[in-house]
Amino acid sequence: MRISKLFGKTLRDDPHEAELASHKLMLRAGFIHQVSAGIYSYMPLAWRSLRKIEQVIREEMDAAGAQELRMTALQPRELWQQSGRDDDYGQGMFRLADRRDRDLVLAPTHEELLTVMVKANVNSYRDLPLTLYQMQTKFRDEPRPRGGLLRGREFDMKDAYSFDIDDEGLDASYDSMEKAYKNIFARCGLDAIMVEADSGTIGGRDSQEFILLADSGEDTIIICDGCGYAANAEKAVFAKPTTDAEERRPIEQVHTPGVRTIEELAHFLEAPVSKTLKAVFYVADGEVVVVTIRGDLEVNEIKLSNVLGSPADIRLASPSEVRDAGLIAGSASPIGLSGVRVVADDSVTLGANFVAGANRESYHLRNANYGRDFESDTLTDIALAQEGYACAKCGAAFRSARGIEVGHIFKLGAKYSNALGAAFTDQDGAQRPIIMGCYGIGVGRLLAAAVEQNHDDDGMTLPPSIAPYHALLTALNVRKADVAEAAGSLYQEMQAAGIEVLYDDRDESAGVKFNDADLLGLPVRVVVSPRNLRNGEVEIKARTGGEARKVPQGEAAAYVREMLEI
Ligand code: ATP
Ligand code: MG
């Protein structure tokens, strides 16, 4: 491709609407065009990269035995009502009506539609196992679209679904997808780590995410360097420190005027925060819930919403909702409460003689003990893992890092086959639900995350497998006939050698050309200049590091191939 003919132009300055490096660079390099918040068109350069990413994914999915198909984005809303996810997605799903007033949705994901299609086409255990996938556009009305293709409202996903006769089959399908994912990320030149994850609205048993570590990421990842455990903070478990074993003392009430927070309480009563219990008020699916946890720990809202529903829609209660439920903010605890659902983190059982609210304005209790003085409707782990906490497996201290989720794999089990009646006849003639898994990769997010991980101050540094072209051929002083001729024939030679070349044939200054070369960041740059031509040479340089080399014109194409390892 000749740059003089390429659609799209580069921008010298950072666009003001972009904050993240990948977003700025993709706008500046003419990769994407914003249509509306979280809605982008792909321009030719991005489209080439995205097609390369899709091709890598396709090859690995096919090699794992998955079959490609293509489903529709437009779907009857009824299907989502049947699975119960019309409610789960809430405002996150785009809904519309057709001319006959039938309700439709623009699908945010495809479990429902495919389950119904498999139900119509699979009858017996002989038809299974099966893994199906597609590259397709998804629609999600994200509350906070961000970072260009990183979090869009219309975006492309590769989504795959496996169908097995039992859990063992699912484990095998899942393992083969896990391997395929590792190959995909490695071939795209990305350093992705696999972490334990929450299943969110998709549901199911186990799930893992593939994360690119990047400071700009929205996910917090908890990593144990001791044993290799890694989990999204939404899911991470840890060893909660136990406070000293001591005999239970009789409960007593203390006057605590003006004390509102846990820190004030600990200070006032000269107790460590780990010897206090805090109460936090939430509204879960419309109902006020009291959540109690040891004062030194924080509530993990994802774990909490999973405990309260599948998952429940939760938010902090407002002061008036707290008052209306008869709760005393600043002095609340589960002790003596009735008529309100109580969820307790299991840390409240790790220790004795806690300081807790007395459910009376300006009073607290000393020596509160779980089991003796209070109980809960649910006692489980709802605590947030943080940096420095101890690993539950090996005891080493956690490190935390930010990351971008590029892929997510789930063991769904029978959730959708039960809801939508997808069953098969087993070897004994009995009807059983099909056991499912699902596997997603955000194609556009992968490209944006790759730029996030591969750039420097001057521009992108994408690897050859996903850069829009392998090499940039820059002709300096193209008005000189010998330069135009040498560059023109090198352009042909490189293409003939299987190199994807972008040819900068513009009549522009060296400064402009080199700036654009850095910005686009194609892996190899070949420069044809009048000076080097005198010696029959061209200059070749890798975008990332390394010295520029002078190479005889006739050897240039072979030299570039070697550098690219293609
Ligand atoms: P997130 O937590 O980032 O909102 P998710 O967990 O809802 O994502 P999944 O349902 O697991 O996303 O979707 C599978 C993959 O699709 C994700 O791993 C991600 O790569 C991609 N993806 C999800 N939402 C978006 C989006 N709004 N824009 C671009 N890619 C997305
Ligand atoms: Mg996910």
Side-chain angles (χ1 to χ4, degrees), residues 32-98:
I32 53 176
H33 173 81
Q34 181 167 14
V35 176
S36 179
I39 308 180
Y40 291 85
S41 293
Y42 311 135
M43 296 182 52
L45 290 174
W47 186 230
R48 278 186 69 93
S49 280
L50 292 165
R51 280 194 352 239
K52 284 177 145 186
I53 294 170
E54 284 188 356
Q55 191 51 29
V56 168
I57 296 175
R58 185 171 280 126
E59 285 169 17
E60 293 299 331
M61 296 306 286
D62 290 349
Q67 297 174 54
E68 185 169 2
L69 48 66
R70 170 96 178 186
M71 288 178 269
T72 64
L74 207 52
Q75 304 178 359
R77 183 169 170 195
E78 209 187 333
L79 196 57
W80 290 78
Q81 287 161 339
Q82 269 175 42
S83 72
R85 285 211 294 180
D86 186 38
D87 285 340
D88 290 351
Y89 266 97
Q91 290 188 306
M93 186 152 67
F94 287 100
R95 299 176 179 81
L96 63 162
D98 70 8

Side-chain angles (χ1 to χ4, degrees), residues 478-499:
V478 277
R479 264 183 284 174
K480 282 198 186 294
D482 58 339
V483 170
E485 199 193 305
S489 54
L490 189 50
Y491 177 46
Q492 304 296 340
E493 271 168 48
M494 288 169 74
Q495 284 177 305
I499 300 164

Side-chain angles (χ1 to χ4, degrees), residues 18-25 144-151 211-221 400-406 445-455:
E19 277 173 21
L20 299 185
S22 60
H23 190 193
K24 286 180 194 164
L25 290 173
R144 281 174 295 281
R146 172 179 183 259
L149 303 188
L150 265 186
R151 183 176 295 285
I211 300 280
L212 293 193
L213 295 182
D215 290 339
S216 57
E218 288 180 290
D219 285 280
T220 302
I221 309 302
S400 91
R402 307 290 289 174
I404 302 169
E405 172 195 330
V406 285
R445 184 182 287 185
L446 193 157
L447 176 58
V451 175
E452 208 56 44
Q453 207 176 54
N454 298 281
H455 72 269

Side-chain angles (χ1 to χ4, degrees), residues 325-327 333-342 359:
L327 300 164
S333 78
I335 302 165
L337 267 193
S338 62
V340 190
R341 180 163 178 190
V342 176
N359 293 315

Side-chain angles (χ1 to χ4, degrees), residues 3-4 20 32 65 88 197 202 270 311 316 320 359 429 485 501 553:
I3 294 196
S4 59
L20 299 185
I32 53 176
D88 290 351
I202 305 279
E270 293 178 352
L316 285 169
S320 67
N359 293 315
E485 199 193 305
V501 196
Q553 247 172 292

Side-chain angles (χ1 to χ4, degrees), residues 198 209 405 407-408 410:
D198 175 65
E209 286 168 347
E405 172 195 330
H408 199 165
F410 304 75

Side-chain angles (χ1 to χ4, degrees), residues 56 179-192 463 465:
V56 168
K179 281 197 197 87
Y181 272 45
K182 287 184 173 157
N183 294 344
I184 290 165
F185 295 123
R187 283 182 60 187
C188 292
L190 299 178
D191 195 8
S465 55

